Protein backbone atom coordinates (compact mmCIF):
# COMPACT_ATOMS: atom_id res chain seq x y z
CA UNK A 1 0.00 0.00 0.00
CA UNK A 2 1.37 3.40 -0.81
CA UNK A 3 0.71 6.19 1.65
CA UNK A 4 -0.79 9.41 0.29
CA UNK A 5 2.18 11.38 -1.14
CA UNK A 6 1.87 14.08 1.50
CA UNK A 7 2.26 11.59 4.38
CA UNK A 8 5.15 11.00 6.76
CA UNK A 9 5.61 8.53 9.58
CA UNK A 10 7.87 9.41 12.49
CA UNK A 11 8.65 6.75 15.08
CA UNK A 12 9.95 7.95 18.43
CA UNK A 13 11.45 6.08 21.34
CA UNK A 14 8.71 6.10 23.99
CA UNK A 15 5.74 8.24 25.03
CA UNK A 16 7.84 11.16 26.40
CA UNK A 17 9.62 11.59 23.08
CA UNK A 18 6.29 11.20 21.30
CA UNK A 19 4.80 13.98 23.45
CA UNK A 20 7.83 16.19 22.74
CA UNK A 21 7.58 15.53 18.99
CA UNK A 22 3.89 16.49 19.14
CA UNK A 23 4.57 19.66 21.15
CA UNK A 24 7.40 20.67 18.77
CA UNK A 25 5.07 20.23 15.79
CA UNK A 26 2.37 22.25 17.59
CA UNK A 27 4.78 25.15 18.22
CA UNK A 28 6.34 25.06 14.74
CA UNK A 29 2.91 25.06 13.08
CA UNK A 30 1.68 27.86 15.36
CA UNK A 31 4.63 30.14 14.53
CA UNK A 32 4.41 29.39 10.77
CA UNK A 33 0.61 29.90 10.65
CA UNK A 34 0.80 33.21 12.48
CA UNK A 35 3.62 34.38 10.18
CA UNK A 36 1.45 33.46 7.18
CA UNK A 37 -2.06 34.50 8.31
CA UNK A 38 -1.73 36.23 11.70
CA UNK A 39 -3.63 33.44 13.44
CA UNK A 40 -3.24 29.77 14.44
CA UNK A 41 -6.35 27.59 14.31
CA UNK A 42 -5.86 24.19 15.92
CA UNK A 43 -8.16 21.34 16.97
CA UNK A 44 -7.09 18.88 19.65
CA UNK A 45 -8.35 15.41 20.51
CA UNK A 46 -9.27 13.72 23.74
CA UNK A 47 -8.38 10.30 25.08
CA UNK A 48 -5.17 9.45 26.98
CA UNK A 49 -2.47 9.64 24.27
CA UNK A 50 -2.32 13.46 23.78
CA UNK A 51 -2.31 14.25 27.52
CA UNK A 52 1.50 14.09 28.04
CA UNK A 53 1.84 16.47 25.06
CA UNK A 54 -0.78 18.81 26.52
CA UNK A 55 1.07 18.85 29.83
CA UNK A 56 4.32 19.72 28.04
CA UNK A 57 2.61 22.66 26.30
CA UNK A 58 1.96 24.23 29.72
CA UNK A 59 5.71 24.54 30.37
CA UNK A 60 8.71 26.01 28.64
CA UNK A 61 9.81 26.13 25.89
CA UNK A 62 6.20 25.92 24.60
CA UNK A 63 4.64 28.20 27.21
CA UNK A 64 6.71 31.12 25.89
CA UNK A 65 7.34 29.73 22.39
CA UNK A 66 3.71 29.33 21.25
CA UNK A 67 2.02 32.70 20.52
CA UNK A 68 -1.02 31.79 22.64
CA UNK A 69 -2.59 35.25 22.19
CA UNK A 70 -3.04 34.47 18.48
CA UNK A 71 -3.97 30.81 18.96
CA UNK A 72 -7.57 29.60 18.61
CA UNK A 73 -8.16 26.22 20.23
CA UNK A 74 -11.01 23.95 19.11
CA UNK A 75 -11.88 20.34 19.89
CA UNK A 76 -11.98 17.47 17.40
CA UNK A 77 -14.61 15.70 19.51
CA UNK A 78 -16.20 15.72 22.91
CA UNK A 79 -17.98 13.31 25.20
CA UNK A 80 -21.18 15.07 26.29
CA UNK A 81 -20.47 14.85 30.02
CA UNK A 82 -20.01 17.66 32.56
CA UNK A 83 -16.65 19.47 32.33
CA UNK A 84 -15.81 18.19 35.82
CA UNK A 85 -16.20 14.59 34.63
CA UNK A 86 -12.84 12.76 34.11
CA UNK A 87 -14.11 11.77 30.64
CA UNK A 88 -14.57 15.40 29.52
CA UNK A 89 -11.99 16.20 26.82
CA UNK A 90 -12.26 19.93 27.53
CA UNK A 91 -12.08 19.31 31.29
CA UNK A 92 -8.88 17.29 30.87
CA UNK A 93 -7.35 19.97 28.64
CA UNK A 94 -8.19 22.64 31.21
CA UNK A 95 -6.51 20.63 33.94
CA UNK A 96 -3.54 19.55 31.78
CA UNK A 97 -2.55 22.88 30.22
CA UNK A 98 -5.21 25.58 29.66
CA UNK A 99 -5.41 26.57 33.34
CA UNK A 100 -1.67 27.22 33.36
CA UNK A 101 -1.56 29.39 30.22
CA UNK A 102 -2.74 32.90 29.41
CA UNK A 103 -5.03 32.47 26.42
CA UNK A 104 -7.82 35.01 25.75
CA UNK A 105 -11.12 33.36 26.77
CA UNK A 106 -12.53 34.14 23.31
CA UNK A 107 -9.80 31.99 21.76
CA UNK A 108 -10.87 28.81 23.55
CA UNK A 109 -13.77 27.03 21.81
CA UNK A 110 -14.97 23.99 23.77
CA UNK A 111 -17.87 21.84 22.54
CA UNK A 112 -20.82 22.34 24.89
CA UNK A 113 -22.40 19.47 26.76
CA UNK A 114 -25.20 21.62 28.15
CA UNK A 115 -27.61 21.21 25.21
CA UNK A 116 -29.15 18.14 23.52
CA UNK A 117 -26.60 16.61 21.08
CA UNK A 118 -28.18 17.82 17.82
CA UNK A 119 -28.54 21.39 19.09
CA UNK A 120 -24.98 21.32 20.48
CA UNK A 121 -23.72 20.12 17.08
CA UNK A 122 -25.54 23.01 15.34
CA UNK A 123 -24.06 25.49 17.81
CA UNK A 124 -20.53 24.26 17.26
CA UNK A 125 -20.95 24.31 13.50
CA UNK A 126 -22.07 27.95 13.73
CA UNK A 127 -19.05 28.73 15.90
CA UNK A 128 -16.73 27.14 13.32
CA UNK A 129 -18.42 29.01 10.46
CA UNK A 130 -18.11 32.27 12.41
CA UNK A 131 -14.41 31.63 13.07
CA UNK A 132 -13.52 30.63 9.53
CA UNK A 133 -15.69 33.34 7.95
CA UNK A 134 -12.76 35.67 8.67
CA UNK A 135 -10.83 33.70 6.00
CA UNK A 136 -13.39 34.31 3.26
CA UNK A 137 -14.25 31.42 0.98
CA UNK A 138 -11.64 28.93 2.16
CA UNK A 139 -13.93 26.74 4.29
CA UNK A 140 -12.93 25.17 7.61
CA UNK A 141 -9.15 25.17 7.11
CA UNK A 142 -7.46 24.25 10.38
CA UNK A 143 -3.69 24.80 10.45
CA UNK A 144 -3.35 21.69 12.60
CA UNK A 145 -5.69 18.91 13.69
CA UNK A 146 -4.34 16.40 16.22
CA UNK A 147 -6.02 13.00 16.01
CA UNK A 148 -5.82 9.73 17.88
CA UNK A 149 -6.74 6.23 16.73
CA UNK A 150 -8.74 3.63 18.64
CA UNK A 151 -7.93 -0.11 18.54
CA UNK A 152 -11.12 -0.47 16.40
CA UNK A 153 -9.75 2.02 13.90
CA UNK A 154 -11.95 4.96 14.88
CA UNK A 155 -10.53 8.46 14.86
CA UNK A 156 -12.07 11.63 16.33
CA UNK A 157 -15.49 10.19 17.22
CA UNK A 158 -15.95 8.78 13.73
CA UNK A 159 -16.57 5.09 14.29
CA UNK A 160 -16.26 2.33 11.65
CA UNK A 161 -19.65 1.55 10.12
CA UNK A 162 -21.29 4.55 11.82
CA UNK A 163 -23.17 7.21 9.80
CA UNK A 164 -20.57 9.74 11.04
CA UNK A 165 -18.11 7.91 8.77
CA UNK A 166 -20.11 8.88 5.68
CA UNK A 167 -21.20 12.40 6.68
CA UNK A 168 -20.21 14.71 3.83
CA UNK A 169 -22.26 17.89 4.39
CA UNK A 170 -22.16 18.83 8.06
CA UNK A 171 -19.00 20.11 9.77
CA UNK A 172 -20.02 18.77 13.18
CA UNK A 173 -22.28 15.81 13.98
CA UNK A 174 -23.64 14.08 17.07
CA UNK A 175 -22.90 10.39 17.56
CA UNK A 176 -23.11 7.82 20.30
CA UNK A 177 -20.47 5.21 21.01
CA UNK A 178 -16.85 4.61 21.90
CA UNK A 179 -15.28 4.19 25.32
CA UNK A 180 -16.94 5.61 27.34
CA UNK A 181 -20.14 4.75 25.47
CA UNK A 182 -21.76 8.21 25.64
CA UNK A 183 -23.33 10.89 23.43
CA UNK A 184 -20.57 12.75 21.61
CA UNK A 185 -19.92 15.51 19.13
CA UNK A 186 -17.30 15.14 16.44
CA UNK A 187 -15.79 17.14 13.60
CA UNK A 188 -16.60 15.40 10.34
CA UNK A 189 -14.59 14.25 7.31
CA UNK A 190 -15.27 17.47 5.32
CA UNK A 191 -13.50 19.46 8.07
CA UNK A 192 -10.68 16.94 8.55
CA UNK A 193 -10.07 16.89 4.80
CA UNK A 194 -9.65 20.66 4.64
CA UNK A 195 -6.81 20.69 7.19
CA UNK A 196 -3.35 22.00 6.34
CA UNK A 197 -1.86 19.39 8.65
CA UNK A 198 -3.31 16.26 10.23
CA UNK A 199 -1.11 14.83 12.99
CA UNK A 200 -1.94 11.37 14.35
CA UNK A 201 -0.51 10.72 17.81
CA UNK A 202 -0.52 6.99 18.52
CA UNK A 203 1.13 5.15 21.39
CA UNK A 204 1.34 1.66 22.89
CA UNK A 205 1.46 -1.98 21.82
CA UNK A 206 -2.34 -2.24 21.91
CA UNK A 207 -2.39 -0.04 18.80
CA UNK A 208 0.28 -1.94 16.83
CA UNK A 209 -2.24 -4.10 14.94
CA UNK A 210 -4.48 -1.25 13.83
CA UNK A 211 -1.46 0.90 12.92
CA UNK A 212 -0.13 -1.89 10.69
CA UNK A 213 -3.54 -2.27 9.03
CA UNK A 214 -3.97 1.46 8.47
CA UNK A 215 -0.47 2.01 7.07
CA UNK A 216 0.15 -1.20 5.10
CA UNK A 217 -3.17 -2.77 4.11
CA UNK A 218 -5.03 -1.00 1.27
CA UNK A 219 -8.04 -3.29 1.66
CA UNK A 220 -8.84 -1.89 5.10
CA UNK A 221 -11.81 0.48 5.04
CA UNK A 222 -11.49 2.41 8.29
CA UNK A 223 -12.22 6.12 8.94
CA UNK A 224 -8.53 7.26 8.75
CA UNK A 225 -8.49 5.90 5.21
CA UNK A 226 -11.01 8.57 4.31
CA UNK A 227 -8.82 11.38 5.64
CA UNK A 228 -6.58 12.69 2.83
CA UNK A 229 -6.52 16.50 2.84
CA UNK A 230 -6.20 17.81 -0.75
CA UNK A 231 -4.00 20.75 0.17
CA UNK A 232 -2.60 19.39 3.42
CA UNK A 233 -0.17 16.89 4.85
CA UNK A 234 -0.50 13.92 7.17
CA UNK A 235 2.06 13.16 9.86
CA UNK A 236 1.89 9.92 11.82
CA UNK A 237 3.68 10.34 15.14
CA UNK A 238 4.10 6.88 16.64
CA UNK A 239 6.04 5.48 19.53
CA UNK A 240 8.06 2.30 19.00
CA UNK A 241 5.40 0.08 20.62
CA UNK A 242 2.66 1.33 18.27
CA UNK A 243 5.01 0.96 15.27
CA UNK A 244 6.25 -2.49 16.29
CA UNK A 245 4.47 -4.38 13.47
CA UNK A 246 5.39 -2.01 10.66
CA UNK A 247 7.86 -3.29 8.06
CA UNK A 248 11.38 -1.95 8.77
CA UNK A 249 11.65 -0.63 5.18
CA UNK A 250 8.26 1.12 5.08
CA UNK A 251 8.58 4.06 2.65
CA UNK A 252 8.19 7.49 4.28
CA UNK A 253 8.98 6.15 7.74
CA UNK A 254 11.63 7.94 9.82
CA UNK A 255 12.79 6.21 13.01
CA UNK A 256 14.26 8.57 15.63
C1 LIG B 1 -12.08 10.59 22.22
C2 LIG B 1 -10.95 10.75 21.26
C3 LIG B 1 -10.70 9.48 20.46
C4 LIG B 1 -9.30 9.06 20.85
C5 LIG B 1 -9.08 7.59 20.58
C6 LIG B 1 -7.77 7.12 21.15
O1 LIG B 1 -12.58 11.58 22.65
O2 LIG B 1 -12.40 9.45 22.58
O3 LIG B 1 -10.82 11.88 20.62
O4 LIG B 1 -10.79 9.59 19.12
O5 LIG B 1 -8.36 9.82 20.14
O6 LIG B 1 -10.14 6.90 21.21
O7 LIG B 1 -7.86 7.23 22.54
P1 LIG B 1 -6.59 6.93 23.49
O8 LIG B 1 -5.60 7.98 23.17
O9 LIG B 1 -7.12 7.05 24.88
O10 LIG B 1 -6.09 5.55 23.15
Amino acid sequence: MTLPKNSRIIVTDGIERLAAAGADLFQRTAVASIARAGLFSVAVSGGSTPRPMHRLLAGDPYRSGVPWQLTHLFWVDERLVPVTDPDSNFGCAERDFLNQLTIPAGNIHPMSSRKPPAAAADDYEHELRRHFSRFSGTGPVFDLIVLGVGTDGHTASIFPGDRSAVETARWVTAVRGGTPDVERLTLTLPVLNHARCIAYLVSGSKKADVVRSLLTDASVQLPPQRIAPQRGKIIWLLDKAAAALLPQDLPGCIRK
Side-chain angles (χ1 to χ4, degrees):
M1 175 185 146
T2 49
L3 284 176
K5 64 178 181 348
N6 53 358
S7 295
R8 261 184 315 133
I9 303 166
I10 297 171
V11 179
T12 67
D13 197 354
I15 183 78
E16 279 88 32
R17 294 235 176 118
L18 182 69
D24 289 347
L25 175 68
F26 189 106
Q27 178 166 310
R28 265 199 321 277
T29 315
V31 170
S33 307
I34 288 160
R36 189 194 61 251
L39 213 63
F40 174 47
S41 303
V42 56
V44 296
S45 277
S48 55
T49 308
R51 299 193 68 180
M53 176 186 80
H54 291 168
R55 292 187 194 111
L56 277 184
L57 290 173
D60 279 323
Y62 312 106
R63 181 190 184 87
S64 51
V66 173
W68 295 104
Q69 298 300 314
L70 297 169
T71 295
H72 279 259
L73 214 66
F74 290 82
W75 272 257
V76 164
D77 62 346
E78 184 60 276
R79 300 94 174 256
L80 299 184
V81 295
V83 172
T84 49
D85 188 301
D87 288 327
S88 164
N89 290 343
F90 174 62
C92 288
E94 273 203 317
R95 294 183 285 275
D96 289 342
F97 68 120
L98 299 181
N99 287 350
Q100 293 132 70
L101 294 167
T102 314
I103 305 178
N107 291 22
I108 300 177
H109 308 267
M111 293 175 164
S112 166
S113 57
R114 281 192 294 277
K115 287 190 177 175
D122 287 348
D123 283 1
Y124 207 64
E125 178 143 347
H126 291 141
E127 184 148 354
L128 285 172
R129 288 184 184 279
R130 221 182 0 260
H131 176 71
F132 287 110
S133 65
R134 60 181 80 204
F135 309 104
S136 56
T138 58
V141 181
F142 277 99
D143 300 302
L144 177 64
I145 297 181
V146 182
L147 295 175
V149 172
T151 50
D152 63 348
H154 81 263
T155 191
S157 281
I158 300 175
F159 298 98
D162 184 80
R163 63 175 171 70
S164 59
V166 289
E167 174 61 57
T168 53
R170 297 186 58 89
W171 291 4
V172 184
T173 193
V175 296
R176 177 163 192 125
T179 310
D181 183 1
V182 292
E183 298 287 350
R184 297 160 172 257
L185 296 187
T186 186
L187 298 184
T188 60
L189 293 171
V191 175
L192 302 177
N193 279 318
H194 267 85
R196 283 202 174 83
C197 180
I198 295 276
Y200 291 98
L201 226 62
V202 190
S203 162
S205 55
K206 286 202 194 88
K207 303 282 177 72
D209 254 328
V210 71
V211 165
R212 177 189 46 199
S213 304
L214 289 170
L215 296 179
T216 66
D217 183 350
S219 68
V220 167
Q221 292 300 322
L222 292 169
Q225 249 80 14
R226 310 196 62 191
I227 302 174
Q230 293 310 311
R231 285 184 293 282
K233 60 185 176 191
I234 300 176
I235 302 175
W236 288 83
L237 295 173
L238 312 171
D239 68 5
K240 271 192 177 150
L245 300 177
L246 292 179
Q248 279 303 315
D249 59 354
L250 186 65
C253 184
I254 304 157
R255 295 170 192 275
K256 294 196 169 173

